[in-house]
Amino acid sequence: MTLEIETGGVQLSTPILPASGTFGWGTELKNLVDYSALGAVVTKGISLHPRKGNPQPRLLEVPCGLINSIGLQNPGVDAFIQNYEKELSALSMPVIVNIFGESPQEYAEVATKLSNCHWVSGLEINLSCPNVHAGGLEFGSNITGVRDVIQAVRNSTNKPLWAKFSHSTHLFHLVEAALEAGSNAVVLLNTLPALAINIKSKQPVLGARRGGLSGPPLKYVALRDVFDVYSRFKCHIVGVGGIIKPEDAVEFILAGARAVEIGTGAMVHPELFIKCRNFMSEYLKNGSYESVENMVGLAHDDQHV
Amino acid sequence: MRDSPTHFQLTITGNEKVGDRFFLLSFENPGVSFRPGQFAMVAISGEPYPLLRRPFAVSRTPEGTLQILYRVVGTGTRLMSYWKKGRKVNVIFPLGNGFEKIQNACILVGGGSGVASMIALARELHSRGTPYLLCVGTKKSGELDPHSSVFQNPPLNVKFATEDGSFGFHGTVLDLAEQHIHSFTCAAVCGPPAMMTAFLERFPDVNAMFSLENHMGCGTGVCLGCAIETRNGMMRVCVDGPVFPGKILLPEHLK
């Protein structure tokens, strides 16, 4: 019985990962998280140049969820490598670096710099970033944007690529474009677009006005997208969204994900990672499955033939 | 020596009403060493609502009991106000950087719920015999009971200000502090953004440490939800603070 699974070109010792943006630069939580639970660490998003991020307030708790507008604050790829290389290369598990840019060229330049880092096992490509040359439309909102970014990154590195999407009614076409352009896996889903208004000030609550919703309600949207994308493409999927208890992680695997990322849930309860790993182990044992791979997509009728 | 942040299941030993909307929550002491100004992330429930932990300054009585002074401001603190003795609460602490050891006479200025961040420091200065004065400001009398164990265990050197003059000094806590600040070589401040900004403007030459409050997602430095711009660049209130020297703060970014 093993929790090991190869996902999008990366060998994971467990299918339990942190979600980008909720696990810092990868080593901050060493005192609070049992790293043996993690199949990999996933960093916050890194760009070519440093970014201050958005003005306060950046967080708003809503019923069962959280709206955030951090604004992709990060030190830039050069400072990231310089400041965190030593600690990250000392980790025993793969390091997935989340990257973004304002143009396909910027994504490619970040990828090129990280390509030279032996301790980077793969790149997670955040496609929910505005394309400044296309009126701020997110790359991930249209086929051209997805194809341009993934192709540019693919031409810059041989490292495994995971393309991360938010929900879209065009998701099939976007996933197809990412896979054709050389993405090894897709990550479903990023936060959902969200907004809250203060009726006293008559203004949006968050400093940047718009934000992204995370937390338990996302699970059902993400599960549906994982289920549908798996059904259509049988591709490698990393499921993310709203995992707050160990059973949630199993649901994602049954829907077709080969690994899961846990964000807001583990930010609140850092012990959730090890609880998920232990529960997954028990679930495998109780079902007499030899590996997580045997569980992937079992919620689909055609898996039972 | 400070201990690393750890998960605890702490047993409540008391949850006393100490004013109109203030409560004093007491826990069994798990034997953790921490500095005044450090805080705890308290899980409100094991359920998805309210989702996030809440950050609270932690203090210690002379007997060693851990205490959190909190004001009911929303759903999380309202639910906390119903907590009873014996309940176990999931807490991560100690978090953040507290106050360095203060050797010289210090004035402590707490406005509203910011008083909570001053209690641990006042108790430490009191026990070490360092001269101090705790200035507490509220809008009106009754918000915080001066006879409660917050101020009486140990009996702190405290003066109260109310904006409507219904108890103690008539004016803001900064008006009160202004009358005494010349007797002290440093200050510790916590309160609403407008009060802290006003302190920076009124007392620019005072060597002051500020304990900042902000909404926090993680409390551990990973989400950047509480990050603010300072003269030293972007800083996370939770792990780079919550205690910051006044000279690095930018008033326009305290709001």
Side-chain angles (χ1 to χ4, degrees):
Chain A
M1 202 270 300
T2 177
L3 287 176
E4 280 179 40
I5 186 163
E6 181 267 319
T7 302
V10 183
Q11 194 62 38
L12 306 174
S13 57
T14 84
I16 311 296
L17 279 55
S20 176
T22 60
F23 206 67
W25 312 110
T27 58
E28 286 89 339
L29 293 181
K30 277 194 156 170
N31 288 318
L32 285 171
V33 168
D34 182 343
Y35 273 55
S36 73
L38 305 178
V41 302
V42 183
T43 71
K44 251 190 91 60
I46 304 292
S47 52
L48 187 57
H49 303 295
R51 281 172 64 112
K52 281 184 188 171
N54 286 331
Q56 288 284 341
R58 291 177 168 190
L59 298 175
L60 177 70
E61 183 176 341
V62 296
C64 300
L66 174 66
I67 304 180
N68 87 77
S69 67
I70 308 301
L72 298 167
Q73 179 187 334
N74 81 97
V77 65
D78 291 333
F80 166 71
I81 293 171
Q82 196 179 344
N83 297 344
Y84 300 100
E85 176 163 48
K86 194 172 166 209
E87 279 189 84
L88 289 173
S89 57
L91 290 176
S92 59
M93 70 279 299
V95 174
I96 309 294
V97 179
N98 182 292
I99 67 168
F100 68 95
E102 292 184 349
S103 66
Q105 292 70 31
E106 272 195 23
Y107 277 91
E109 283 184 62
V110 178
T112 302
K113 286 171 187 272
L114 292 166
S115 196
N116 298 323
C117 299
H118 66 88
W119 47 273
V120 175
S121 298
L123 302 180
E124 182 179 78
I125 302 165
N126 174 8
L127 291 160
S128 307
C129 188
N131 180 352
V132 293
H133 303 297
L137 207 62
E138 287 179 9
F139 290 104
S141 68
N142 61 88
I143 294 166
T144 315
V146 171
R147 194 176 51 216
D148 290 353
V149 167
I150 302 296
Q151 271 178 1
V153 176
R154 182 76 288 166
N155 291 336
S156 312
T157 180
N158 292 321
K159 298 217 190 259
L161 304 182
W162 298 0
K164 184 173 181 179
F165 292 95
S166 184
H167 176 73
S168 163
T169 46
H170 313 296
L171 193 59
F172 279 173
H173 301 296
L174 303 171
V175 166
E176 189 170 37
L179 295 172
E180 280 178 7
S183 191
N184 302 74
V186 291
V187 183
L188 308 173
L189 292 172
N190 207 332
T191 56
L192 298 179
L195 183 96
I197 289 176
N198 178 331
I199 62 167
K200 281 186 196 154
S201 68
K202 304 180 181 66
Q203 291 294 307
V205 175
L206 296 176
R209 303 172 78 82
R210 298 171 178 83
L213 177 67
S214 66
L218 251 70
K219 186 183 102 181
Y220 303 93
V221 184
L223 266 179
R224 165 76 186 262
D225 283 338
V226 168
F227 188 89
D228 287 349
V229 167
Y230 181 81
S231 180
R232 173 77 172 256
F233 297 101
K234 295 285 184 296
C235 61
H236 283 200
I237 301 169
V238 179
V240 50
I243 294 176
I244 196 146
K245 56 188 195 299
E247 291 85 347
D248 298 337
V250 171
E251 287 185 49
F252 272 100
I253 304 293
L254 296 175
R258 296 174 71 85
V260 298
E261 292 180 357
I262 310 176
T264 306
M267 196 172 83
V268 178
H269 296 291
E271 72 274 35
L272 184 57
F273 293 117
I274 192 73
K275 284 185 177 168
C276 284
R277 194 202 68 164
N278 293 343
F279 185 83
M280 192 79 74
S281 240
E282 281 298 304
Y283 193 87
L284 283 184
K285 206 185 295 170
N286 293 340
S288 301
Y289 298 112
E290 278 177 25
S291 71
V292 177
E293 184 126 27
N294 301 132
M295 273 170 60
V296 173
L298 285 183
H300 297 260
D301 288 343
D302 57 356
Q303 298 293 302
H304 291 289
V305 291
Chain B
M1 193 56 209
R2 277 178 306 205
D3 290 336
S4 301
T6 310
H7 275 105
F8 294 98
Q9 292 287 337
L10 299 182
T11 305
I12 294 176
T13 58
N15 191 20
E16 179 193 355
K17 198 164 191 290
V18 291
D20 284 347
R21 286 153 68 206
F22 279 94
F23 286 79
L24 184 64
L25 184 62
S26 300
F27 294 105
E28 275 174 10
N29 191 340
V32 176
S33 159
F34 63 96
R35 292 290 310 148
Q38 286 195 283
F39 67 98
M41 290 295 276
V42 177
I44 305 300
S45 71
E47 302 302 321
Y49 183 67
L51 181 63
L52 299 179
R53 289 171 185 268
R54 301 292 192 270
F56 296 103
V58 183
S59 66
R60 185 172 22 211
T61 67
E63 300 78 36
T65 304
L66 291 183
Q67 293 189 321
I68 287 172
L69 175 65
Y70 65 97
R71 185 164 68 169
V72 175
V73 293
T75 308
T77 43
R78 182 172 52 78
L79 292 173
M80 283 172 68
S81 72
Y82 307 146
W83 288 355
K84 298 275 189 278
K85 186 175 170 178
R87 183 189 180 102
K88 287 198 187 310
V89 179
N90 184 300
V91 172
I92 299 176
F93 100 112
L95 293 162
N97 292 308
F99 292 96
E100 295 300 321
K101 278 238 162 72
I102 292 172
Q103 310 289 352
N104 302 313
C106 187
I107 186 165
L108 280 52
V109 185
S113 61
V115 174
S117 299
M118 294 294 116
I119 299 302
L121 184 58
R123 284 174 168 175
E124 178 179 82
L125 296 174
H126 186 90
S127 73
R128 288 177 39 228
T130 310
Y132 74 95
L133 170 65
L134 172 59
C135 298
V136 171
T138 55
K139 288 205 174 359
K140 56 182 176 21
S141 112
E143 280 185 46
L144 249 175
D145 178 5
H147 305 295
S148 75
S149 62
V150 176
F151 304 108
Q152 298 305 331
N153 183 26
L156 299 175
N157 183 28
V158 57
K159 288 187 188 297
F160 292 86
T162 51
E163 289 176 26
D164 67 357
S166 53
F167 179 74
F169 178 85
H170 185 179
T172 68
V173 71
L174 294 191
D175 298 333
L176 171 63
E178 191 162 36
Q179 301 211 325
H180 302 279
I181 204 160
H182 58 271
S183 309
F184 297 90
T185 54
C186 63
V189 185
C190 186
M195 172 212 145
M196 294 198 287
T197 306
F199 188 100
L200 283 169
E201 286 163 2
R202 277 170 78 166
F203 311 110
D205 301 322
V206 171
N207 173 22
M209 300 295 291
F210 288 73
S211 180
L212 302 192
E213 298 178 313
N214 203 348
H215 291 287
M216 291 180 188
C218 62
T220 53
V222 295
C223 79
L224 310 190
C226 66
I228 56 162
E229 192 160 1
T230 72
R231 292 185 207 279
N232 293 354
M234 297 301 295
M235 300 276 238
R236 296 161 295 182
V237 171
C238 65
V239 292
D240 301 318
V243 176
F244 294 96
K247 60 179 185 291
I248 75 159
L249 297 177
L250 296 162
E252 65 272 28
H253 289 284
L254 289 180
K255 295 185 172 65

